[in-house]
């Protein structure tokens, strides 16, 4: 542990001011204050509580909607029973303008909640086993699972029990509420397909095999723009909780508490090296652990659109929700379908939903839900992610969600393509809540100078992956005016459509392209083609005016 202690000491000369708030934090007292604010009104809330404390309970003050809050609901592994879904839907319609956001952590965000309605909204959620606890700031965030965990044909280890064991360590436990150096993301995947961005987590258990046994390889230190590193450790399901506690305790004890931009687990591991950190885990466990096994987690993640056959002989139906913009009314309809078929609902990291346990497919598909949220969407909509954006987040530079939808619709019209997997991930600012670094194409909101003015734009990244073995995304086109971005992307999509192999995903195509060309060369090709297209369009407009 000497290296960890030394690294911590070197970064402990100046603690961030937030640490003083956390030192004085008492979950019971903070909760009582939150309930008290509901009676005394918005004006009574302290700035400290708005900026940090209330977020520990998943309650966020949103300056864009004054005196109205967002509640982030923890949906463990993205799994909702029909009863739970109905209650969430009721809360959204009664207190939140019928608005819901589906998130990249398989959660639900309710918006427009007035301070006086918070206690009742939170009480209703708790009545069906849902909570908003620890979904913000320096806490263990919602644990990700394969959305088809326990159900998919390729699911080897059902991980929900493991999730409950790990979640039971920290959830509503005062020892762990807002006591970490920084937020901590967890993922567990027991399937051959990677449908939950498993390598993007601080702590990840990914399906593996060793000595004839199924278990997990451990990966640590993932964050926006950086995939988790192998800890060279094979973990059996029965050992998962103990390994988690060891890693979490090391992070809590030795993690950095100075620069909040460099306090995630990755930076502690970078400071001491993974081999040293692995040794510290083993010391904490009090027993040796085997080296990693054969990884069984597929890079591509598998398609899960349309009609999905499940292990138990039932089916799952996928519904594409563009940018995760949903509603309580629509969730109520989804819950009604699920209840009528004795099924349930699963949320995906790409902000879509899946109805499981379907026995009468035709009856389910007859619902208006699937007219609004297609069961077999355009490839440009199927894997589309966008964070909250400037309408709902104070950090957002661009609207984000509407921009993502506009681009996808533009591409659908101008570069139609079938049987393709295309992942377009949008972050409205550099914080990266839209996990742009993992997308085939990633978009980050920025400001761009144009004709003496500053306008909205995007930096475009190329070549992100959900695979541990692939390169991370690199900056592709910098400072593209927002309205012009679809044209640039369309030129790349034409290259993909016209030159790809049969069934080749965009991720595979970009990987092959990058093996032959530098990113800058690919960007030059796209810029050239875009300029030629604009010139051709200008000439056509001139001819049209002459003919008229």
């Amino acid at each position: 542990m000497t290296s960890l202690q030394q690294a911590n000491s070197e970064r402990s000369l100046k603690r961030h001011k937030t640490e003083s708030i956390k030192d004085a934090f008492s979950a019971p007292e903070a909760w009582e204050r939150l309930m008290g604010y509901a009676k005394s009104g918005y004006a009574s809330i302290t700035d400290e509580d708005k900026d940090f404390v209330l977020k520990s309970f998943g309650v966020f003050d949103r300056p864009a909607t004054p005196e109205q809050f967002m509640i982030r609901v923890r949906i463990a592994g993205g799994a909702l029973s029909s009863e739970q879904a109905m209650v969430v839907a009721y809360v959204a319609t009664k207190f939140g303008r019928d608005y819901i956001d589906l998130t990249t952590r398989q959660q639900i965000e309710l918006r427009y909640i007035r301070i006086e309605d918070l206690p009742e909204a939170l009480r209703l959620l708790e009545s069906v086993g849902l909570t908003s606890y620890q979904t913000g700031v320096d806490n263990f965030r919602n644990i990700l699972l394969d959305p088809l965990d326990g159900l998919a044909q390729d699911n080897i280890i059902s991980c929900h029990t493991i999730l409950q064991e790990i979640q039971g360590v920290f959830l509503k436990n005062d020892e762990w509420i807002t006591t970490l150096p920084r937020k901590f993301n967890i993922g567990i995947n027991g399937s051959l397909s990677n449908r939950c961005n498993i390598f993007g987590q601080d702590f990840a258990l990914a399906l593996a095999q060793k000595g004839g046994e199924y278990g997990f390889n451990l990966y640590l230190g993932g964050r926006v723009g950086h995939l988790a590193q192998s800890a060279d450790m094979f973990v059996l399901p029965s050992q998962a909780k103990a390994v988690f506690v060891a890693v979490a305790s090391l992070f809590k004890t030795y993690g950095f508490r100075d620069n909040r931009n460099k306090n995630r687990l990755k930076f502690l591991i970078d400071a001491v090296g993974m081999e040293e950190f692995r040794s510290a885990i083993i010391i904490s466990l009090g027993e040796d652990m085997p080296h990693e096994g054969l990884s069984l987690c597929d890079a591509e993640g598998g398609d899960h659109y349309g009609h999905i056959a499940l292990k138990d002989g039932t089916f799952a139906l996928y519904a594409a929700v563009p940018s995760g913009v949903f509603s309580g009314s629509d969730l109520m309809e989804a819950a009604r379908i699920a209840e009528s078929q004795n099924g349930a609902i699963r949320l995906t990291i790409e902000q879509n939903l899946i109805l499981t346990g379907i026995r009468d497919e035709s009856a389910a598909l007859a619902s208006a839900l699937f007219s609004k949220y297609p069961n077999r969407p355009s490839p440009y909509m199927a894997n589309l992610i966008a964070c909250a954006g400037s309408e709902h987040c104070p950090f957002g530079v661009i609207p984000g969600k509407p921009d993502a939808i506009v681009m996808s619709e533009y591409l659908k019209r101008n570069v139609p393509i079938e049987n393709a997997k295309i992942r377009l991930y949008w972050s409205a600012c550099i914080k990266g809540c839209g996990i742009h670094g993992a997308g085939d194409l990633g978009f980050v909101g920025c400001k761009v100078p144009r004709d003496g003015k500053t306008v909205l734009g995007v930096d475009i990244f190329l070549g992100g992956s959900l695979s541990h073995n692939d390169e991370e995304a690199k900056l592709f086109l910098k400072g593209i005016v927002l309205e012009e971005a679809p044209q640039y992307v369309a030129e790349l999509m034409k290259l993909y459509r016209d030159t790809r192999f049969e069934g080749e995903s965009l991720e595979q195509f970009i990987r092959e392209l990058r093996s032959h060309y530098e990113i800058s060369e690919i960007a030059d090709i796209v810029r050239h083609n875009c300029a030629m297209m604009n010139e051709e369009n200008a000439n056509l407009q001139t001819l049209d005016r002459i003919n008229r």
Side-chain angles (χ1 to χ4, degrees):
M1 302 288 188
T2 304
S3 297
L4 286 166
Q5 183 62 61
Q6 182 178 347
N8 178 270
S9 297
E10 291 173 356
R11 290 280 301 272
S12 297
L13 297 178
K14 186 177 181 181
R15 298 171 89 223
H16 192 274
K17 61 181 181 180
T18 302
E19 294 303 316
S20 297
I21 299 174
K22 288 153 69 174
D23 288 342
F25 180 86
S26 162
E29 290 177 7
W31 181 258
E32 287 302 314
R33 288 205 306 278
L34 173 58
M35 294 299 102
Y37 289 142
K39 296 179 180 178
S40 57
Y42 182 85
S44 66
I45 308 176
T46 67
D47 289 340
E48 182 178 294
D49 280 357
K50 286 181 188 176
D51 293 341
F52 190 87
V53 176
L54 298 188
K55 294 176 184 177
S56 296
F57 304 110
V59 176
F60 295 75
D61 180 43
R62 301 286 78 171
T65 54
E67 302 190 24
Q68 295 172 337
F69 289 82
M70 180 265 280
I71 299 175
R72 183 177 291 152
V73 186
R74 181 184 290 272
I75 312 291
L80 273 175
S81 69
S82 57
E83 180 189 17
Q84 289 175 323
M86 286 178 180
V87 170
V88 175
Y90 174 78
V91 172
T93 53
K94 183 173 176 61
F95 303 120
R97 297 188 191 175
D98 199 25
Y99 185 91
I100 283 175
D101 273 329
L102 306 182
T103 82
T104 58
R105 293 209 69 78
Q106 300 179 309
Q107 297 177 120
I108 282 174
E109 291 179 348
L110 305 170
R111 300 188 183 276
Y112 308 112
I113 311 295
R114 298 180 305 169
I115 185 70
E116 58 265 36
D117 293 328
L118 274 172
E120 179 64 7
L122 295 172
R123 185 195 68 78
L124 285 167
L125 294 171
E126 294 279 353
S127 73
V128 288
L130 297 175
T131 187
S132 61
Y133 262 68
Q134 294 154 277
T135 56
V137 292
D138 301 347
N139 285 293
F140 298 107
R141 303 299 184 85
N142 198 46
I143 301 176
L144 300 184
L145 296 183
D146 176 0
L148 296 175
D149 178 70
L151 302 173
Q153 300 280 3
D154 69 344
N155 180 242
I156 307 299
I157 301 174
S158 180
C159 298
H160 188 72
T161 299
I162 301 170
L163 179 153
Q164 293 294 342
E165 290 175 351
I166 290 176
Q167 183 173 272
V169 171
F170 64 81
L171 187 59
K172 297 185 178 180
N173 181 341
D174 291 353
E175 179 184 348
W176 291 104
I177 299 177
T178 315
T179 57
L180 297 176
R182 206 65 171 88
K183 72 175 181 179
F184 194 97
N185 290 335
I186 304 164
I188 315 168
N189 185 30
S191 300
L192 298 174
S193 297
N194 176 13
R195 290 179 281 256
C196 62
N197 186 25
I198 192 64
F199 301 112
Q201 313 306 311
D202 293 274
F203 177 95
L205 294 171
L207 182 68
Q209 188 178 49
K210 189 178 181 73
E213 289 188 282
Y214 287 114
F216 307 96
N217 284 338
L218 175 65
Y219 298 85
L220 300 172
R223 60 187 289 268
V224 172
H226 297 276
L227 298 173
Q229 305 174 52
S230 169
D232 190 21
M233 185 178 294
F234 181 73
V235 180
L236 292 172
S238 59
Q239 300 169 316
K241 176 183 174 181
V243 171
F244 164 75
V245 171
V247 172
S249 299
L250 289 169
F251 180 52
K252 181 179 177 181
T253 303
Y254 299 107
F256 306 139
R257 297 177 182 267
D258 52 354
N259 181 347
R260 287 182 64 78
N261 292 325
K262 296 183 178 180
N263 285 1
R264 293 283 290 275
L265 178 63
K266 167 186 164 47
F267 297 102
L268 176 60
I269 293 172
D270 286 350
V272 302
M274 184 60 83
E275 185 175 349
E276 183 69 20
F277 197 83
R278 183 187 190 281
S279 297
I281 296 172
I282 289 171
I283 292 171
S284 296
L285 290 170
E287 62 174 320
D288 200 7
M289 292 291 287
H291 293 283
E292 67 181 355
L294 174 66
S295 174
L296 300 177
C297 198
D298 175 60
E300 283 294 304
D303 294 335
H304 47 280
Y305 319 125
H307 162 114
I308 311 156
L310 303 178
K311 282 182 179 180
D312 63 1
T314 65
F315 298 94
L317 294 177
Y318 168 96
V321 182
S323 296
V325 179
F326 205 47
S327 73
S329 300
D330 294 328
L331 181 59
M332 185 67 78
E333 175 62 10
R336 185 196 65 76
I337 297 169
E339 183 183 46
S340 70
Q341 309 234 2
N342 295 317
I345 294 171
R346 300 286 179 95
L347 306 179
T348 80
I349 65 157
E350 290 176 326
Q351 300 174 306
N352 299 312
L353 64 82
I354 300 173
L355 298 181
T356 65
I358 300 298
R359 291 164 174 80
D360 187 344
E361 184 177 357
S362 60
L365 288 174
S367 166
L369 182 78
F370 290 103
S371 298
K372 192 172 182 180
Y373 306 105
N375 179 238
R376 296 187 181 275
S378 155
Y380 298 116
M381 287 292 187
N383 303 99
L384 181 66
I385 284 177
C387 69
S390 57
E391 181 181 357
H392 296 298
C393 177
F395 301 107
V397 178
I398 61 173
K401 288 181 181 292
D403 305 318
I405 293 170
V406 165
M407 177 179 284
S408 292
E409 289 176 341
Y410 177 92
L411 295 171
K412 179 181 176 181
R413 289 192 308 271
N414 291 278
V415 196
I417 190 169
E418 300 293 335
N419 301 318
K421 185 171 183 182
I422 298 169
R423 297 182 300 108
L424 307 177
Y425 292 178
W426 288 71
S427 296
C429 77
I430 198 62
K431 285 181 175 290
C433 295
I435 56 174
H436 62 272
D440 299 328
L441 285 168
F443 305 86
V444 181
C446 65
K447 298 288 184 70
V448 179
R450 170 60 67 90
D451 300 329
K453 299 179 180 180
T454 300
V455 299
L456 298 181
V458 285
D459 291 333
I460 303 178
F461 290 76
L462 181 73
S465 175
L466 299 180
S467 168
H468 176 253
N469 298 314
D470 281 341
E471 292 187 59
E472 293 161 351
K474 297 290 190 298
L475 183 61
F476 175 48
L477 295 168
K478 184 174 178 60
I480 303 298
V481 174
L482 194 55
E483 288 78 6
E484 298 172 2
Q487 301 170 38
Y488 287 90
V489 176
E491 294 307 316
L492 182 65
M493 291 301 102
K494 289 174 186 175
L495 287 175
Y496 170 53
R497 180 192 63 187
D498 298 339
T499 63
R500 68 177 179 138
F501 297 115
E502 181 66 29
E504 186 177 33
S505 68
L506 182 57
E507 180 175 335
Q508 293 169 322
F509 175 78
I510 291 173
R511 189 185 305 129
E512 179 66 18
L513 201 61
R514 287 178 65 179
S515 71
H516 297 286
Y517 300 96
E518 297 294 328
I519 292 280
S520 59
E521 293 175 313
I522 303 170
D524 287 343
I525 292 170
V526 166
R527 286 194 185 95
H528 172 76
N529 290 351
C530 195
M532 294 291 289
M533 179 60 66
N534 287 337
E535 182 179 345
E536 181 180 333
N537 289 338
N539 290 336
L540 288 173
Q541 290 173 6
T542 300
L543 285 172
D544 183 56
R545 285 196 297 272
I546 292 172
N547 291 332
R548 281 186 292 174

